[in-house]
Structures are given as structure tokens and as C-alpha cells.
Amino acid sequence: MSQAAEKFPSPAEQTRAALVRAGLRLFGRKGFEGTSTREIAALAKANIGSIAYHFGGKEGLHLACADFIVETIRSIANPELAQAAAATGPNDAAERLKQSMERIVGFFVVSPDVGDFAQFVLRELSVPSPALDRLYTGVFEPTHRQLCTIWEQATGEPAESEVTKIRIFTLIGQVVYFRIAREAVFRRMGWTEIGPAQATLIASVASGNLSSILASRKGGKS
Amino acid sequence: MSQAAEKFPSPAEQTRAALVRAGLRLFGRKGFEGTSTREIAALAKANIGSIAYHFGGKEGLHLACADFIVETIRSIANPELAQAAAATGPNDAAERLKQSMERIVGFFVVSPDVGDFAQFVLRELSVPSPALDRLYTGVFEPTHRQLCTIWEQATGEPAESEVTKIRIFTLIGQVVYFRIAREAVFRRMGWTEIGPAQATLIASVASGNLSSILASRKGGKS
DNA sequence: GTCTATAAACAGATAGAC
DNA sequence: GTCTATCTGTTTATAGAC
């Protein structure tokens, strides 16, 4: 949209950024329809008219939030993607799978403001809107594809086969569920937050599952 | 609330039931705030005033929807709970775990109108409201507890330990994720629905994961 | 660019006829 | 019990002053 440069943000860009961050949080927590533009403007310390001015309306801001997520994740993930491209042995690949799991736990499950991203994405999944298209092609698809590729390197099973794609979904799901069912987890575990300590526990269990699944492929089957 | 008997529904009970089913669907799909009472009344072919009359207002209907889910699941699950109570050998327990997984796939993932239940529950999880309390104590907690118990029978690991509880969450998550990320699954798999054929596939992958995890406990570790 | 005032649509709740 | 009409508040979007 605007200039790519963000060296020193103009006051207008500051307003835009504040509105996006506020929208991200409120849309994620209360849904698109559950959030009023007045709330967003208040949280961003901007006036109500500014959202129509900068984004053309509530929906425009919603899309801008999705784009912000895609760009942020891209800028984080790109370096890692390059590293992952290098083909390696099965053991290295297995290790990279584990690391990916742990990163997903860190990103999706632990609470800080990155949690707003996760919440927003999950809500888009449950109420598909035009914003989901951008999230899917920008984040979901490439991530899933990459994991499928690493899986092939680790097990020899074809990356784009139906079972591999499903397998990767199960691996992601076992971890992401702790964000989704967060409230139920709190009550059942007696936790009041999911901080680093809890994340470590979750990651170790998920990692153990993954090891078991990989192990049965090496020694056991066929 | 009303008479427990439901032998032949009075016209009033029919209206109540229609409102609950409409509320269940719309609250699940569009959220509490995203759903207007006018929509609900229209879908239920009732008039707007009836929801205030029968439930005291929009929130009352929301709670009634949660209660309906709890009662329905109870009536289905109670017979199975009795069966599960009977202690058996590790192999039987492992088999029962697999069956539970498959039942969860059938319930949560496959599309028919039971899907409204799943959608409603998931939405409650992401936007906790008083209705979540009833769902948690009525459905979530007992189910998770039961699975933990079976896990102990299968592996000898204590049911109420921290890792066992987390382990069961990962097992549930890997399956439930197919409902949550349904839209992404569709696109990535090239599916247009999750019917019996797709559910079988998912269940077999999840079941395979479970087998691997159990196997590494029998032969491998410590 | 920012902010205020206002318009037009829509929300949930209610009163009262039937 | 059902249904209609209406009240009161809130929503998004916009027009125009600064």
C-alpha cells in the first residue's frame, strides 16, 4: 500500500500501525462483528473517522490486519526457509521437525502479544472471510508444504501424498490445540497461564510423540 | 427447566426446541454477538418476541443451547462410560483408546448437523462466556478424565499426572484440529467436504500415531 | 490528516392485542 | 403462547469544520 520504507514513521503511519495492532487484538478476541470501530479507535487512541480515512472502513482494516500478519511472519520465517531448503540426512530432518514443533509451540501457545496473531488466525479459520485467503496463501500453505518436505526427508514418504499431508496436520493439531482449548487446559491443569515453564512441558510431550511416530517408521513397519 | 418428560411435545416445547436448534447453529457459525435475535427467530420460524418469552433474552437462549449440548452428549455417552468403567488389560485399554479416537473423529470432524455442536463448543472455548462453565463441567472434564483413566490402564502411567493430562490433550488435538482448521484442510487437500471417506483416512492416520506412541512405551523406553 | 456531528440502519427488549 | 408495533440505544459510514 504505502511506501515500503519504515525508517522513521510519519504520524499517519503511526496512526495506521496503531489501528492495525488494535484491530488485530480486538478482532482476534471478540470477532469481526463483535468488535465495534469505536473500541478499536479508543484502544489505538485514534478517532473514529480515521479508520474510514486510512482503510476505507471496518473491512479494509480487517484485511490490513491479515496482511500485517503475513508480512511479519514472512520476515521471520524467510531466513529459516532458506536453511530448511538444504537437503540433509534423515536424522537431521527428524531433528528439524522437532525444532519446528517447538517453534510452533513457542509461537502459538505462549501468551505474549504474538498471541494476538494466533487468535486472529484461528478466528479467521472458524469464520472464513476474504482475509483468510491472504492468510492461507501467505502463511498456512507454505508452512504446511515445508513441513511435508521435511517429513519426506526424514521418512522417505512422499511429501505431497495424502497421508503425509494429513500426518502433518495431526502433528500441528496436537500442539495448536493448546491455544484453541486454552480455557479448558487452564481448568484441567490448574494453570493460570501458559508461560515458558508450561510451554516446555507441552513441547516435550509433543516432541516425545513425534519421536515415537518416527521411531516406529525406522525399526518397525513393513 | 420444564417437565423432564418429552413424550409428546407441546407446541410451546416445539418452539423452544426450534429456537435452541437455530441458536446452536447460528451462535456456532457467527458467534454470539454476530448473531441477531431476528435471524434466530427467522431460522426457527418463530417470532422475535418468543425468545424473550421462553428464555428471558438472547443470553438465556445461549445458555439453553449449552445445556442442550451437555444433555445430548450425556445421554449418548453414559452407556459407554459404564462400559469403560470395567477395568481390563493393557491391550483392551489400548483398543478402547483407539475406539475413542475414532468416535471423536466421527463426532467432531464429520459434517452433519452434529457439527453444529462442535462449532458451538469451539467458539465457546475461544470466547469464554458463562455457557462455557456448563460445557466444561458437563462434557470436557469428564471426557478428558475418562481418557486419562484408560491411558493409565494401557500404559501404567498415572492418570492424573501432569504429563498424562497433557498427553491426552495432544491426542485430542491432533484430531479436533481437522474441525478447527477445516477451511485450510479443504484447500490443502483439495477436498470439498469431510465425509465418511475422509474421516476414515483421518482416523487411520491418527490411530497410527497412537499405535506408535503406545508401542514405544511397551518395547522401547526405560 | 485529524476530529466532530450527524445520518441511516440495525440491535435487543418490551407492551399490549389477539 | 403467539405475534406485531414500538422504544431506546448502538452501529457503521459520511460530510464538513479545522
Side-chain angles (χ1 to χ4, degrees):
Chain A
M1 300 288 180
S2 59
Q3 293 279 65
E6 292 170 17
K7 294 296 214 161
F8 58 99
S10 69
E13 283 303 319
Q14 284 181 329
T15 302
R16 287 179 61 97
L19 285 171
V20 167
R21 279 191 297 114
L24 216 43
R25 168 159 300 180
L26 292 174
F27 286 144
R29 295 193 180 174
K30 317 179 46 175
F32 181 74
E33 319 218 37
T35 305
S36 74
T37 53
R38 282 174 170 77
E39 286 177 277
I40 297 171
L43 182 58
K45 292 195 230 298
N47 65 77
I48 319 100
S50 63
I51 130 165
Y53 178 79
H54 287 290
F55 304 98
K58 193 186 185 183
E59 273 192 74
L61 175 57
H62 192 230
L63 289 175
C65 291
D67 289 335
F68 180 72
I69 290 177
V70 171
E71 281 171 42
T72 304
I73 293 188
R74 273 240 179 88
S75 71
I76 296 173
N78 270 346
E80 311 197 28
L81 278 170
Q83 173 203 348
T88 47
N91 288 339
D92 276 2
E95 188 53 35
R96 277 223 308 285
L97 268 181
K98 272 187 204 168
Q99 286 171 6
S100 297
M101 295 287 272
E102 277 161 25
R103 262 191 299 128
I104 293 177
V105 173
F107 179 71
F108 253 80
V109 178
V110 180
S111 29
D113 40 27
V114 235
D116 290 343
F117 282 27
Q119 204 75 16
F120 187 97
V121 172
L122 289 173
R123 191 170 288 276
E124 270 314 301
L125 280 173
S126 84
V127 195
S129 84
L132 178 59
D133 296 341
R134 311 190 182 192
L135 291 175
Y136 178 77
T137 61
V139 176
F140 253 96
E141 231 252 13
T143 304
H144 193 275
R145 246 199 172 79
Q146 179 194 354
L147 289 174
C148 286
T149 302
I150 307 182
W151 178 265
E152 177 175 326
Q153 293 169 2
T155 66
E157 296 168 10
E160 289 297 309
S161 72
E162 214 165 29
V163 288
T164 296
K165 287 190 281 187
I166 293 176
R167 182 90 54 195
I168 296 298
F169 275 124
T170 64
L171 292 179
I172 297 173
Q174 68 170 339
V175 157
V176 170
Y177 187 63
F178 286 87
R179 159 67 59 175
I180 291 144
R182 176 168 264 254
E183 271 302 317
V185 171
F186 283 168
R187 300 186 191 198
R188 183 74 172 114
M189 303 300 298
W191 294 346
T192 60
E193 60 153 12
I194 299 187
Q198 289 77 25
T200 304
L201 249 170
I202 294 169
S204 80
V205 171
S207 193
N209 289 346
L210 175 57
S211 296
S212 300
I213 295 170
L214 286 172
S216 81
R217 237 143 276 269
K218 267 192 172 160
K221 268 285 184 62
S222 86
Chain B
M1 301 292 181
S2 60
Q3 292 280 64
E6 292 170 17
K7 294 299 218 161
F8 58 99
S10 69
E13 284 304 320
Q14 284 180 329
T15 302
R16 287 180 62 97
L19 285 171
V20 167
R21 279 191 298 114
L24 216 43
R25 169 159 298 182
L26 292 174
F27 286 144
R29 295 194 181 175
K30 317 179 48 175
F32 181 74
E33 321 217 35
T35 304
S36 72
T37 54
R38 285 173 169 81
E39 284 177 279
I40 297 171
L43 182 58
K45 292 195 229 300
N47 66 76
I48 319 101
S50 63
I51 131 165
Y53 178 80
H54 287 290
F55 303 98
K58 194 186 184 183
E59 274 194 70
L61 175 58
H62 192 229
L63 290 175
C65 291
D67 289 336
F68 180 71
I69 290 177
V70 171
E71 282 172 41
T72 303
I73 293 188
R74 274 238 180 88
S75 71
I76 295 173
N78 269 347
E80 310 197 28
L81 279 171
Q83 174 202 345
T88 47
N91 288 339
D92 276 0
E95 188 54 36
R96 278 220 309 283
L97 267 181
K98 272 187 205 169
Q99 286 171 5
S100 298
M101 295 286 273
E102 277 161 25
R103 262 190 299 129
I104 293 177
V105 172
F107 178 71
F108 253 79
V109 178
V110 179
S111 27
D113 40 27
V114 235
D116 289 343
F117 281 28
Q119 204 75 12
F120 186 98
V121 173
L122 289 173
R123 192 169 286 276
E124 271 315 300
L125 279 173
S126 84
V127 195
S129 84
L132 178 59
D133 295 342
R134 312 192 181 190
L135 291 174
Y136 179 77
T137 61
V139 176
F140 254 94
E141 232 251 14
T143 304
H144 193 275
R145 245 199 173 79
Q146 180 195 353
L147 289 174
C148 286
T149 302
I150 307 182
W151 179 266
E152 177 175 326
Q153 292 169 2
T155 67
E157 295 168 9
E160 290 296 310
S161 73
E162 214 166 27
V163 288
T164 295
K165 287 190 280 188
I166 293 176
R167 182 90 54 194
I168 296 298
F169 274 124
T170 64
L171 292 179
I172 296 174
Q174 69 170 340
V175 156
V176 170
Y177 188 64
F178 286 87
R179 159 66 59 175
I180 291 144
R182 175 168 266 253
E183 271 301 316
V185 171
F186 283 168
R187 298 185 192 197
R188 182 74 173 113
M189 304 299 298
W191 293 346
T192 60
E193 60 153 12
I194 299 186
Q198 288 78 25
T200 305
L201 250 169
I202 294 169
S204 80
V205 171
S207 192
N209 289 346
L210 175 58
S211 296
S212 300
I213 295 169
L214 287 173
S216 80
R217 239 143 275 268
K218 266 194 173 160
K221 270 284 184 65
S222 87

